[in-house]
């Protein structure tokens, strides 16, 4: 319950944040603090320097423009969960993170920069084909979600680079998305988490994005599942069969712990792909 | 008046709902320093050396001490003694337990050094600077494995790591019953290790007055007097008349705060050594590796049956994991609070039980809500369930057939206990009725047609509460009699202070005990104030655990109140110039009047003042109005229950939903129905925790895998429906209040009720038994690999 | 390194120099002496430390005091106004929503915000909404009853 010592600097603007990061090599960025502070409380993290970007108001907020929803990195899970503009899979997933208190502080930027395999948003962003906007002293860049997450607690962020915004396609007519999760009974992290988005036009599925997380080092695009759906008329049997195909996409590196072994998690991947797809399909009717 | 039996709102709540609870961690004393303890990361290792120099020299650090310092003493603080075991049946081998380890560490979390610093943050920083040179040794965590030849020896003096072997029952009759049985049902089962996790982590603060040579220790304990006795007699060596132990508000215990912990020795010892008040508060992950754990039995059990469903015999063989040291009551739990309950609610003429208490490289195991009785209920009710199935009988019918009939009380079991009173048939009938059991089975049949895994679980449980008669418990091995102290002091102005040796850490004694005393004396509740938790204010006490406080603590107050009433009546008679036999003590109005002449009366307050004014008291009578009773119960009490639960297992994931939970309990007379119900519901939820989610899990190296709440799954609000609770009331004949104790019944019954429900759900798949916790993964795997597998 | 902070707690402004690593819960308990907010775990799960930060329920063990600079904090001690209990406090008392009391301040603070954002919560919504608050004593049932009663009282 007693974090180790660190130096602390507060940035009131993005440029100040970058400058501080430049000055203090190895510094960690503090946003909502709900991945970093718990780690420091049990002394699993010992960052010598923290740069607090939590007050940079430019980085907070959700806006829709040109068919794209842009979510500032400091937008909290509670804000996303309450939003009508973000794809449902995203607001649904945000609403399943932790609990109300955690959601009031945790941010999407902090969550994805931390890249815990058991977290929910990376899976959703992977399924939605999100773009991650960053900035650094070297300039701005945009990464695809599938390129952003590189391993357990690892991202493509360079030192001194911070996430500024996440962009996802705005929910289109005929599309529906959902997030379904098998939660660890103790931590309530995702042992398996599935995000699915489908678009139905003239009775056929024209697009599908399915990603599975929780059981792999990074979220995985379930391309076999997607292939089984696109061009087809979706029905429960087809969805069930397509869900089974996820086994081809998971790879060999399946995470395990005392709550769930690999065999169970892989089987649950198919179960939750089915659940997420079923819910997503239902929601296409509302659009 | 008539407070007893009413759901009076709790008088202690105002301070808790406004953030004014007096928990030990809240204490602020001038000059206070903070302690942190360096703990072993190894389950079993020799300590080759400890280097504290860097820690000592850190800015803000006041001192650092090791185990050697504590047992050698310093110029200012005399040597500590080893922590004793408070319950030692004959032939029990007790390992030496120093407050801080000296030569070797025996479990992950075993303390090796203590730092005190100006802030808690600094103290924890300093821990990182303490270098301990360990030589790791092979560790053993499983009780059965530790008892085998060739297992790592943990304490030199304890061969085969076997601390004791305890037996009870009628062995010959049992062998005969099994020889003549029509059928025998056998089970190997595990009652898994649990970690209590009261919401308040343990805390100790101590203040030494070197001029008076007086020590005050605040500790979050369920029994401050017992701690004072052990500190005084064994570990700290300060005489009891110079030692004050205070357990103020304590945030839950469930047994885990009964025991005398190393920190209760270390903190005052250090306070004396540095001459400053010292505070220590456990971090939660520290609690996980230091608070006494619960359960952890490996058991083989068999039930002998006749074809008509009569149970004729029971045999139980248990390896009970004691952990690395014997905690204060540890040997009691799997012996005299376990084997003695093997008859359950049933007429079982032949019972034989044996328990081996085994030392392992794990956190010490001791009482945890139910303490031995949940373990007994679990094996018995699992066997009963299986027996019913093997014989093709309905599980309720089978139980009903074997119940001890109401006219056979008092009932002597083959395992020492004499049950006092009970209406077991009424209990089962009521549970059946409340549940609509027949309809539940019909609904289940329909659901099964759809391939749904719906299960109905039944249990009928008994427990022995309110330990216990001193001659019996001391013979069994207790180092102290288990009476309780209750003083009633009437002040000159007529209001009352009550001093009880019971302790409230959630039970609401400040309310329930006031209800009792107010009724006994005929006063409004507001005139009665309950004091607990301070050895300076209360003559003696044995504390709160084993659901004993109403039965023993409140009964002591009834006796004291009786003596007060007697004295008050004699004084009133004297003042009214009437004969004592002609006086009526009117408890409705708090007056004492002459029979037939209600206007010739004195009020309680008038008499109270008169005893202190002392101008005109009966010949030979002392002034003053107070009475103390040390109440020794004549027997244990026997709360009992019938619970029924309906669950559904999600075939796809193995997750369990509890649809309904019906709990019918006989806890004797009820002082406050609202509080009793709260105990039952809280107890049931804890019991379900064991059945479905909780597991204090070690790996083979002795690392605690479930070392934080991230991996130890505690029950949450969204996992339960509202419970349906009912009551049967058969008063206990063994205490003046007729109460039996409600604190543990819910937990004892719930674990096996849910386990039985899940086994019932899986019965169509041919599953006989699965060990707890019945996690989603485990159930899913069972379903997959069963005969019907994934088939619908 | 000490950082000056100005935090308004229960309507009173406090200026202190604090270590950046000082958790808000320690600031409240040890610096200000407001010990009503309890610490029950070290993994940001149990919710015993829940307070209101700028109008939102947060776990004060997972917020640094420096992050609360220039913010408004309400703790359990600040709920009752002019000696009158908040309806949520009253409801917990009336409906036996507590036993040992340790989870209670955090539970009440969380429940107040639950009802504020959802004035007529269903039983399921309350059970779900208190996901971040553990109780080991009550089994939750009377807590849910208390919250429902408080929500009803606000009608």
């Amino acid at each position: 319950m007693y974090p180790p010592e660190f130096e602390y600097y507060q940035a009131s603007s993005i440029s100040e944040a970058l400058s501080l990061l430049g000055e203090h090599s190895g510094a960690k960025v503090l946003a909502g603090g709900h991945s970093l502070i718990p780690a420091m409380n049990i002394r699993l993290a010992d960052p010598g320097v923290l740069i607090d970007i939590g007050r940079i108001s430019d980085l907070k907020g959700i806006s829709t423009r040109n068919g794209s929803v842009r979510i500032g990195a400091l937008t909290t899970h509670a804000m996303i969960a309450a939003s009508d503009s973000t794809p449902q899979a995203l607001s649904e997933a945000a609403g399943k993170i932790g609990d109300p208190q955690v959601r009031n502080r945790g941010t999407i930027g902090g969550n994805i920069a931390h890249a815990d395999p058991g977290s929910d948003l990376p899976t959703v962003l992977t399924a939605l084909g999100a773009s991650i906007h960053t900035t650094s002293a070297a300039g701005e860049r945009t990464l695809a979600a599938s390129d952003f997450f590189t391993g357990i607690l690892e991202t493509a962020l360079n030192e001194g680079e911070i996430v500024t915004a996440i962009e996802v396609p705005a929910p289109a007519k005929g599309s529906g998305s959902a997030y379904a999760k098998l939660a660890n009974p103790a931590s309530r992290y995702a042992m398996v988490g599935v995000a699915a988005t489908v678009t139905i036009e003239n009775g056929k599925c024209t697009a599908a994005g399915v990603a599975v997380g929780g059981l792999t080092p990074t979220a995985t695009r379930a391309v076999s599942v997607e292939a089984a759906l696109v061009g087809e008329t979706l029905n429960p049997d087809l969805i069930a069969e397509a869900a089974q195909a996820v086994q081809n996409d998971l790879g060999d590196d399946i995470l395990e712990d005392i709550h769930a072994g690999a065999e169970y998690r892989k089987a649950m991947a198919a179960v939750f792909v089915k659940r997420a797809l079923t819910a997503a399909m239902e929601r296409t009717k509302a659009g | 008046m008539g407070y007893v039996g009413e759901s009076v709102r709790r008088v202690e709540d105002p301070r808790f709902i406004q953030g004014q609870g007096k928990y030990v961690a809240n204490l602020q004393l001038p000059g206070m320093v903070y302690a942190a303890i360096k703990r072993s990361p190894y389950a079993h290792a020799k300590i080759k050396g400890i280097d504290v120099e860097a820690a000592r020299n850190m800015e803000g650090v006041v001192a650092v001490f090791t185990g050697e310092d504590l047992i050698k003493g310093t110029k200012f603080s005399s040597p500590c003694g080893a922590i004793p075991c408070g319950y030692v049946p004959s032939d029990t081998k007790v390992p030496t337990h120093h407050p801080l380890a000296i030569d070797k560490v025996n479990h992950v979390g075993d303390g090796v050094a203590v730092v005190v610093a100006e802030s808690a943050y600094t103290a924890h920083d300093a821990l990182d600077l303490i270098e301990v040179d360990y030589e790791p040794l092979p560790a053993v965590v499983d009780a059965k494995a530790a008892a085998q030849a060739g297992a790592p020896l943990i304490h030199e003096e304890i061969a085969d790591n076997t601390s004791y072997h305890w037996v009870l029952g009628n062995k010959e009759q049992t062998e005969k019953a099994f020889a003549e049985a029509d059928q025998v049902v056998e089970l190997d089962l595990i009652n898994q290790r649990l970690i209590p996790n009261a919401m308040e982590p343990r805390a100790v603060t101590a203040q030494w007055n070197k001029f008076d040579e007086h020590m005050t220790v605040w500790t979050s304990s369920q029994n401050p007097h017992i701690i004072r006795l052990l500190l005084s007699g064994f570990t700290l060596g300060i005489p009891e008349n110079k030692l004050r132990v205070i357990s103020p508000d304590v945030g839950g215990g469930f047994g885990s705060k009964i025991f005398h912990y190393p920190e209760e020795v270390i903190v005052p010892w250090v306070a004396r050594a540095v001459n400053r008040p010292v505070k220590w508060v456990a971090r939660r992950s520290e609690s996980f590796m230091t608070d006494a754990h619960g359960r952890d039995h490996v058991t083989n059990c068999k039930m002998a049956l006749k074809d008509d469903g009569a149970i004729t015999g029971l045999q139980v063989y248990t390896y009970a994991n004691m952990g690395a040291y014997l905690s204060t009551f540890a040997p009691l739990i799997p012996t005299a609070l376990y084997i003695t309950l093997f008859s359950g609610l049933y007429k079982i003429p032949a019972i034989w039980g044996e328990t081996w208490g085994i030392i392992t490289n794990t956190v010490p195991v001791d009482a945890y809500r139910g303490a031995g009785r949940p373990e007994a209920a679990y094996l018995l009710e699992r066997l009963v369930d299986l027996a019913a199935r093997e014989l093709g009988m309905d599980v309720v019918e089978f139980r009903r057939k074997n119940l001890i009939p109401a006219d056979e009380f008092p009932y002597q079991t083959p395992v020492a206990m004499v049950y006092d009173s009970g209406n077991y048939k009424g209990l089962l009938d009521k549970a059946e009725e409340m549940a609509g059991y027949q309809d539940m089975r019909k609904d289940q049949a329909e659901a099964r047609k759809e391939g749904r895994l719906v299960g109905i679980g039944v249990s009928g449980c008994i427990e022995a509460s309110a330990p216990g008669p001193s001659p019996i418990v001391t013979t069994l091995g207790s180092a102290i009699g288990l009476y309780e102290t209750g003083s009633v002091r009437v002040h000159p102005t007529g209001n009352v202070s009550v001093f009880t040796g019971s302790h409230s850490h959630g039970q609401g004694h400040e309310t329930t005990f006031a209800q009792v005393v107010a009724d006994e004396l005929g006063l409004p509740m507001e005139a009665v104030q309950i004091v607990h938790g301070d050895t300076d204010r209360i003559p003696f006490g044995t504390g709160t655990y084993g659901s004993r406080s109403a039965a023993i603590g409140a009964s002591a107050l009834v006796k004291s109140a009786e003596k007060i009433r007697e004295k008050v009546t004699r004084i009133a008679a004297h003042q009214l110039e009437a004969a004592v036999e002609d006086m009526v003590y009117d408890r409705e109005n708090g007056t004492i009047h002459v029979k037939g002449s209600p206007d010739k009366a004195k009020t309680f307050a008038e008499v109270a003042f008169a005893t202190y004014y002392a101008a005109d008291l009966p010949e030979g009578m002392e002034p003053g109005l107070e009475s103390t009773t040390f109440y020794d119960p004549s027997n244990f009490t026997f709360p009992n229950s019938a619970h029924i639960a309906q669950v559904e297992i999600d075939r796809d994931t193995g997750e369990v939903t509890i649809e309904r939970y019906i709990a019918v309990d006989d806890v004797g007379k009820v002082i406050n129905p609202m509080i009793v119900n709260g105990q039952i519901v809280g107890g049931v939820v804890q019991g379900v925790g064991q059945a479905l989610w909780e597991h204090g899990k070690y790996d083979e190296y002795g690392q605690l895998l479930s070392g934080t709440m991230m991996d130890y799954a505690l029950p949450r609000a969204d996992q339960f429906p509202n419970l349906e609770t009912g009551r049967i009331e058969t008063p206990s004949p063994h205490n003046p209040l007729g109460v039996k104790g409600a604190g543990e019944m819910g937990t004892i019954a719930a674990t096996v009720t849910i386990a039985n429900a899940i086994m019932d759900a899986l019965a169509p798949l041919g599953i006989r038994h699965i060990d707890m916790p019945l996690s989603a993964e485990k159930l899913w795997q069972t379903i997959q690999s069963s005969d019907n597998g994934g088939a619908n | 390194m000490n950082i000056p902070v100005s935090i308004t707690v229960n309507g009173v402004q406090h200026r202190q120099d604090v270590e950046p690593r000082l958790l808000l819960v320690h600031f409240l308990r040890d610096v200000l002496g407001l010990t009503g907010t309890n610490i029950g775990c070290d993994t940001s799960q149990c919710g015993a430390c829940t307070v209101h930060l700028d109008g939102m329920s947060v776990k004060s063990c997972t917020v640094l005091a420096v992050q609360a600079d220039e913010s408004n904090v309400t703790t359990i001690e600040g709920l009752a106004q002019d000696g009158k209990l908040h309806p949520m406090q009253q409801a917990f008392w009336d409906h036996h929503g507590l036993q040992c009391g340790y989870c209670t301040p955090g539970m009440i603070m969380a429940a107040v915000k639950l009802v504020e954002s959802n004035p007529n919560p269903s039983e399921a919504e309350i059970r779900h909404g208190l996901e971040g608050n553990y109780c080991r004593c009550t089994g939750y049932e009377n807590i849910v009853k208390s919250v429902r009663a408080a929500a009803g009282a606000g009608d």
Side-chain angles (χ1 to χ4, degrees), chain B residues 301-326:
Chain B
C301 51
K302 312 182 231 282
M303 181 175 270
L305 302 154
K306 290 287 173 197
D307 281 329
D308 66 356
I311 304 170
T312 54
L314 180 68
Q315 288 181 62
V316 182
Y317 304 95
T318 297
Y319 283 88
N321 200 328
M322 294 287 98
Y325 305 103
L326 289 185

Side-chain angles (χ1 to χ4, degrees), chain B residues 199-269:
Chain B
M199 287 317 298
E200 180 213 19
R202 285 186 305 115
V204 184
T205 298
Q207 185 170 44
W208 170 244
N209 180 323
K210 73 173 187 186
F211 306 103
D212 293 336
E213 294 188 330
H214 183 281
M215 181 77 76
T216 304
V217 178
W218 291 263
T219 174
S220 51
S221 173
Q222 299 175 219
N223 33 255
H225 291 86
I226 303 278
I227 303 305
R228 187 182 69 166
L229 178 56
L230 293 172
L231 280 170
S232 184
F234 295 90
T235 48
L236 202 57
I238 296 178
E240 279 171 291
N241 57 12
K242 300 279 205 155
L243 176 59
R244 180 181 188 184
V245 178
I246 302 173
S247 299
D249 289 323
V250 172
F254 314 112
S256 67
K257 292 176 180 168
I258 296 172
F259 320 115
H260 186 32
Y261 283 97
E263 295 81 17
E264 288 171 333
V265 186
I266 297 165
V267 172
W269 186 90

